[in-house]
Amino acid sequence: MDEQNKLILPAIAIRGLVPLPNVDFRIEVGRDISINALEEAEKMYGGNVLLVIQKDPNVMDVTPENLYPIGTLAKIQLKLKMPSGNYKVKFKVTDRIKINEYTSFSPYLVAEYQKVQSINLGDEEELALVRRVLDLFQKEGKTFLVAPEEVSRLLQSGLTTEQTADVMAAYLKSADKYKYLEEISVSRRLEMLIEDAAKEKKIIEIENKINEDVKKSIDESQKEYYLREKMKAIQTELGDKARQDEEVEELRKQIAAAKMPKRIEEKAYKELERYANTNNQMAESGIIRSYLDFLINLPWYKVTEDTNDLKAVEKALDKNHYGLKKVKERIVEYLAVKMMTGKNPSTILCFAGPPGVGKTSLAKSIAEALGRNFIKQSLGGVRDESEIRGHRRTYVGALPGRILKAMKDAGTINPVFLLDEIDKMASDYRGDPAAAMLEVLDPEQNSNFSDNYLEEPYDLSQVMFITTANSLEDIPAPLRDRMEIIELSSYTEYEKFNIAFKHLLPKELKNHGLTNEQLEITDAAMYKIIQGYTREAGVRELDRLISAICRKTVKDILIDHKEKTVITPENLADYLGKVRYFNNEGRNESQIGIVTGLAYTQFGGDTLDIEVTTYPGKGGLILTGKLGDVMKESAQAGLSYVKAHAKELGIDGVDFSTIDIHIHVPEGAVPKDGPSAGVTLTTALVSALSNRPVPANIGMTGEITLRGSVLPIGGLREKSIAAVRTGLKKIYIPEENERDLDEVPEEVKEKLQIVPVKNIAELLHNIF
Ligand code: ADP
């Protein structure tokens, strides 16, 4: 080749792209060396320029080693200057060329080159290949080409085999295109196209598979996250953003501040997330909110420090309660064990006794002395397990159980927790609340107490439970086993008198803002209040009456400007109305067919009159007054005894087949049961049948057998106190109960003659 025919043109180095002949090529030109070449080509070479390809697109400096030997010849068709100073250029690419030599590198590339001719046989093989390529394009163009529509447009303009090969290669997705420039055989280029198309197809298949796998591996939480985001988006779109962010933030702070156990905290945050995404018009929103509030307000770690000072406990108990010496001793012993071992004793204290005798206030004093918070939850009438354990949150209006509700109020995890009236729980078809209570009270189990509403275990092990009951028989045996029973019994009049002056009156004076100088109740008046206005085992009513007197006194002072009120037996009626009970009077005469029995109820001891009357009939026995089965049987047994011993009893003249006997126990609305009315029923029968009166001021108690033996009874102390209260002077008790006489308070013994009897004959002989 001689010097004259040497082909020389400016060259532009292309990074990352491969221009191919027969296809327009667009790039942005920015490097100085390229801009210079561009301008020179336009000025001096009629827009003709060489496009050479950089091996490593990341290198900015242009060196011959970094340029491929094969490039293209192109003509500038369009050149636009950008604000950045770069040029957008469109080239018409015409030929493959081979660079022989670079003659200059500055200020732009200049190369000496020669055109490269493709080998284009046009034979059958080539024809078959091009058909195959076109076929692939028809079927799967999308899989291996970047802009199939553009290719389609170009194809329709009518292309040669070589042009077809170049166009396809130019729009191939595959990045490695230099080989299409380098290859001179058109058939080979077509083969390469088929290979690349297959490769792309494979890649797409693999991609799809990966996508699927990835999709599968998006775990539940991510999925949930996406869904929530989506929901948020929808709600925002609808213009009612579910929740004020501030409220959610506030709750988030509260959750953090509540210092919950890890698991609960995580749950709380999850619920919060749910809350944030629930429209507040929806019921669901309120349910979640209550749940969150509950989690936040339930104590998790907060404790009060116990004062481990037994002396202080003793003092607190003495300060708040009169008497109860034994009870206080046992409480102190119980707490001593707690202090020694540093944990709650495994048995639970149970205060058993009639209402108003100080069970609740004792428990309160214990809390006060220990420095613990105090809560009380009544179990009376609980018949549904879910009242203890709560309802699942799926229920509308679901609530936590009574235990956790009270814990929320306690505010600490170690309060003194009074479970009031544990004997009044009943079980029915809705489950057995006693079983749930067992879990509450069992130190082995209660560190993981489960509440349906909370859904997570809650630790009750630091709580000091104290229970109260009116009657021990009604506590289910397994529960009773867990308890250390401390019995409190009725107060005598003397005790009430002392409690009134030492505790109730000072307390009520204080409550009403009064002083001793403004209100005085004389001793005699106090006794009259106790005897004439109350008839109770405890001191609740007494407390109420004293409170009533205080109220009236306040009125006296404020309205009538009275300086001092003195309550005496004479003016008592002005304050409390007419005397309600006349027990001590009017008990002196004797009556036929009416006998006073002594009963032991959950309200303490009581007296009850039994009336018997007979009239012509057919040998029937009528029992009225809401008698229980045991009492009815006692009546039958009594009657049998009377019939069998008619002769000794002096009633052999009676023809039982011609009379009906009616036994009635007044105060008909009050259910009565128990065997200890046996002697009373029998005595009343004998009195009625033999027309012999029985003194009204004697009472009796005892179960009888058909042979007439008198069996022992329970509650002697209570019954004797009640006897005095009712104004009886003498009571008959079973001989075997003599050993219980120690329990009977001295002041009762002073006022009451207590006569033990072995059998009914002895008793009847004594009376008649
Ligand atoms: P319970 O729980 O046994 O039904 P409470 O504890 O409610 O009875 O007692 C009722 C009221 O009587 C309370 O005001 C209590 O302080 C008072 N009370 C009971 N027993 C005594 C006592 N021994 N000394 C002082 N106050 C007493």
Side-chain angles (χ1 to χ4, degrees):
M1 214 177 290
D2 57 17
E3 286 294 309
Q4 254 76 42
N5 292 336
K6 262 190 191 166
L7 297 169
I8 291 195
L9 274 177
I12 297 175
I14 309 289
R15 299 187 299 142
L17 294 170
V18 178
L20 283 165
N22 304 309
V23 186
D24 291 345
F25 184 66
R26 292 177 177 84
I27 50 163
E28 197 169 322
V29 178
R31 287 184 285 188
D32 284 347
I33 188 172
S34 307
I35 292 173
N36 292 341
L38 205 59
E39 284 169 350
E40 189 61 21
E42 268 199 317
K43 236 190 285 169
M44 306 294 296
Y45 299 94
N48 287 316
V49 69
L50 299 177
L51 303 177
V52 289
I53 295 123
Q54 240 175 266
K55 290 178 186 167
D56 182 349
N58 298 318
V59 177
M60 291 306 275
D61 287 335
V62 180
T63 56
E65 304 81 58
N66 196 26
L67 294 169
Y68 282 118
I70 307 292
T72 53
L73 174 61
K75 193 176 165 91
I76 301 168
Q77 278 201 316
L78 215 71
K79 195 178 101 206
L80 279 175
K81 188 159 182 162
M82 313 282 294
S84 61
N86 291 355
Y87 284 100
K88 270 198 167 165
V89 192
K90 180 179 165 193
F91 299 96
K92 183 171 172 61
V93 185
T94 50
D95 297 281
R96 286 178 169 73
I97 53 110
K98 182 174 179 297
I99 302 291
N100 293 328
E101 185 186 3
Y102 289 99
T103 55
S104 167
F105 276 90
S106 185
Y108 49 88
L109 277 181
V110 180
E112 191 242 304
Y113 72 96
Q114 69 187 68
K115 285 193 183 171
V116 177
Q117 280 304 321
S118 300
I119 301 167
N120 195 353
L121 298 173
D123 59 1
E124 280 161 16
E125 192 193 336
E126 204 176 280
L127 215 61
L129 284 169
V130 81
R131 275 194 194 155
R132 174 86 188 110
V133 168
L134 289 172
D135 192 39
L136 277 174
F137 168 75
Q138 291 291 346
K139 286 186 181 139
E140 323 167 345
K142 269 188 234 139
T143 62
F144 61 95
L145 297 176
V146 277
E149 327 75 44
E150 184 62 16
V151 176
S152 176
R153 193 181 64 75
L154 290 168
L155 286 176
Q156 269 160 24
S157 65
L159 299 178
T160 64
T161 309
E162 179 167 11
Q163 284 169 335
T164 303
D166 283 339
V167 165
M168 290 275 188
Y171 283 93
L172 215 50
K173 278 183 182 167
S174 148
D176 174 25
K177 287 183 197 169
Y178 177 70
K179 62 183 187 204
Y180 285 95
L181 202 57
E182 199 179 35
E183 181 54 60
I184 51 171
S185 156
V186 174
S187 311
R188 182 61 204 135
R189 281 185 219 149
L190 290 168
E191 274 169 18
M192 288 189 322
L193 275 173
I194 294 166
E195 282 160 22
D196 275 349
K199 225 187 272 172
E200 285 302 325
K201 196 174 162 195
K202 190 87 201 158
I203 289 172
I204 286 191
E205 276 169 16
I206 293 171
E207 245 172 25
N208 285 344
K209 185 161 166 359
I210 290 172
N211 279 346
E212 212 134 283
D213 290 352
V214 170
K215 224 192 293 171
K216 254 185 232 158
S217 76
I218 292 177
D219 66 12
E220 275 304 299
S221 76
Q222 258 169 310
K223 187 168 142 199
E224 216 180 292
Y225 174 79
Y226 282 126
L227 290 175
R228 290 207 184 294
E229 288 300 309
K230 214 171 198 171
M231 195 152 83
K232 249 192 221 165
I234 292 170
Q235 281 165 348
T236 320
E237 199 61 27
L238 287 174
D240 57 354
K241 173 130 179 51
R243 187 81 37 204
Q244 289 305 315
D245 291 346
E246 296 141 53
E247 191 194 352
V248 172
E249 273 324 298
E250 181 55 36
L251 282 169
R252 197 184 302 281
K253 270 186 219 149
Q254 288 178 2
I255 293 172
K259 299 236 180 330
M260 310 170 182
K262 197 91 219 107
R263 251 164 41 126
I264 311 278
E265 190 175 45
E266 275 166 20
K267 182 159 194 159
Y269 283 132
K270 218 165 156 185
E271 290 291 323
L272 182 66
E273 202 57 42
R274 228 154 67 81
Y275 182 60
N277 290 319
T278 309
N279 189 316
N280 54 10
Q281 309 282 309
M282 277 155 55
E284 179 80 4
S285 158
I287 294 174
I288 307 175
R289 176 69 205 236
S290 321
Y291 184 63
L292 280 171
D293 284 342
F294 183 64
L295 289 185
I296 289 167
N297 290 317
L298 201 59
W300 296 102
Y301 289 108
K302 201 166 166 208
V303 286
T304 46
E305 197 65 43
D306 280 1
T307 6
N308 278 335
D309 181 355
L310 271 189
K311 272 262 166 316
V313 174
E314 260 183 321
K315 243 169 133 182
L317 291 176
D318 277 339
K319 187 184 90 197
N320 298 333
H321 295 91
Y322 168 83
L324 301 173
K325 192 161 169 290
K326 271 198 195 147
V327 172
K328 288 177 191 167
E329 268 170 25
R330 290 203 40 203
I331 293 174
V332 169
E333 280 165 24
Y334 180 85
L335 294 178
V337 175
K338 185 203 147 300
M339 287 178 192
M340 278 295 271
T341 57
K343 55 181 188 206
N344 289 334
S346 57
T347 50
I348 306 289
L349 276 184
C350 174
F351 294 142
V357 294
K359 300 183 295 295
T360 309
S361 63
L362 275 173
K364 254 188 214 162
S365 294
I366 292 175
E368 191 185 309
L370 289 176
R372 291 188 178 210
N373 292 351
F374 177 79
I375 40 171
K376 174 178 165 182
Q377 185 56 253
S378 177
L379 298 176
V382 168
R383 42 183 62 245
D384 186 347
E385 192 183 343
S386 65
E387 290 197 45
I388 306 290
R389 276 193 204 287
H391 290 286
R392 297 206 170 282
R393 272 192 300 141
T394 43
Y395 270 82
V396 177
L399 285 173
R402 291 188 184 210
I403 303 295
L404 288 195
K405 212 153 82 196
M407 287 307 293
K408 191 185 93 184
D409 297 338
T412 54
I413 59 167
N414 67 338
V416 169
F417 192 151
L418 185 72
L419 295 161
D420 208 14
E421 304 193 307
I422 198 159
D423 55 330
K424 302 285 194 304
M425 275 186 322
S427 66
D428 64 9
Y429 63 96
R430 282 168 291 194
D432 183 1
M437 279 318 293
L438 257 183
E439 195 187 316
V440 171
L441 298 178
D442 185 351
E444 308 269 305
Q445 296 183 50
N446 68 9
S447 58
N448 277 315
F449 175 67
S450 67
D451 182 282
N452 293 325
Y453 181 77
L454 180 63
E455 291 172 350
E456 297 288 335
Y458 185 81
D459 185 0
L460 290 172
S461 63
Q462 305 218 43
V463 177
M464 178 181 271
F465 287 105
I466 297 178
T467 59
T468 79
N470 289 139
S471 101
L472 291 174
E473 288 96 74
D474 298 332
I475 305 177
L479 265 180
R480 213 175 134 166
D481 278 352
R482 297 245 150 264
M483 297 180 192
E484 175 161 344
I485 312 269
I486 297 185
E487 284 189 75
L488 286 89
S489 62
S490 309
Y491 292 122
T492 61
E493 283 174 7
Y494 177 73
E495 285 169 328
K496 288 180 183 174
F497 178 82
N498 276 295
I499 293 172
F501 275 119
K502 294 199 165 100
H503 296 278
L504 305 180
L505 182 57
K507 187 183 79 188
E508 292 303 340
L509 285 176
K510 198 166 154 223
N511 286 351
H512 290 83
L514 292 168
T515 64
N516 290 328
E517 276 72 52
Q518 292 167 309
L519 171 66
E520 188 190 324
I521 301 179
T522 64
D523 291 3
M526 191 63 88
Y527 267 118
K528 194 170 175 192
I529 300 172
I530 294 168
Q531 293 164 349
Y533 291 86
T534 73
R535 199 181 188 185
E536 57 176 351
V539 292
R540 260 194 211 159
E541 187 60 22
L542 182 56
D543 193 11
R544 233 169 270 147
L545 294 173
I546 292 174
S547 168
I549 292 175
C550 288
R551 271 201 309 277
K552 286 224 162 72
T553 307
V554 171
K555 198 187 113 211
D556 286 351
I557 293 173
L558 292 182
I559 296 176
D560 306 333
H561 303 289
K562 232 169 130 178
E563 296 221 324
K564 178 162 189 176
T565 300
V566 179
I567 308 289
T568 60
E570 289 70 39
N571 67 6
L572 194 54
D574 299 340
Y575 290 83
L576 299 180
K578 273 190 261 167
V579 169
R580 293 182 213 164
Y581 307 105
F582 299 92
N583 302 325
N584 291 346
E585 303 103 48
R587 276 266 173 199
N588 294 321
E589 78 266 23
S590 303
Q591 283 179 295
I592 291 170
I594 298 183
V595 181
T596 305
L598 302 173
Y600 179 35
T601 72
Q602 46 173 307
F603 303 106
D606 203 357
T607 56
L608 97 170
D609 289 345
I610 290 177
E611 300 177 352
V612 177
T613 186
T614 62
Y615 41 83
K618 295 199 185 94
L621 175 64
I622 301 160
L623 299 162
T624 54
K626 265 211 156 178
L627 309 187
D629 286 344
V630 178
M631 202 150 166
K632 283 182 189 157
E633 281 165 15
S634 273
Q636 298 276 7
L639 183 58
S640 297
Y641 176 87
V642 171
K643 284 182 182 167
H645 296 81
K647 192 146 185 231
E648 296 120 85
L649 296 172
I651 49 172
D652 44 350
V654 177
D655 181 359
F656 284 96
S657 61
T658 60
I659 55 165
D660 280 347
I661 300 173
H662 185 169
I663 299 179
H664 177 65
V665 186
E667 284 191 60
V670 184
K672 307 164 194 84
D673 204 8
S676 70
V679 288
T680 325
L681 286 160
T682 314
T683 309
L685 278 169
V686 174
S687 165
L689 292 166
S690 64
N691 267 321
R692 280 177 293 186
V694 178
N697 60 8
I698 66 162
M700 59 189 68
T701 179
E703 178 177 355
I704 67 155
T705 66
L706 284 179
R707 305 251 167 281
S709 308
V710 177
L711 302 181
I713 47 89
L716 180 61
R717 182 189 147 98
E718 298 289 322
K719 287 178 174 176
S720 64
I721 293 174
V724 173
R725 196 161 67 217
T726 325
L728 301 182
K729 295 284 177 282
K730 190 200 251 184
I731 60 169
Y732 293 91
I733 63 166
E735 195 175 45
E736 274 188 60
N737 281 109
E738 252 187 310
R739 57 169 184 230
D740 301 327
L741 281 174
D742 316 347
E743 290 176 13
V744 178
E746 276 313 311
E747 32 163 330
V748 169
K749 286 184 196 157
E750 280 166 21
K751 292 183 189 161
L752 190 69
Q753 191 192 350
I754 302 177
V755 187
V757 290
K758 208 178 167 128
N759 53 52
I760 185 82
E762 194 184 333
L763 189 152
L764 293 173
H765 177 77
N766 238 306
I767 294 176
F768 301 117

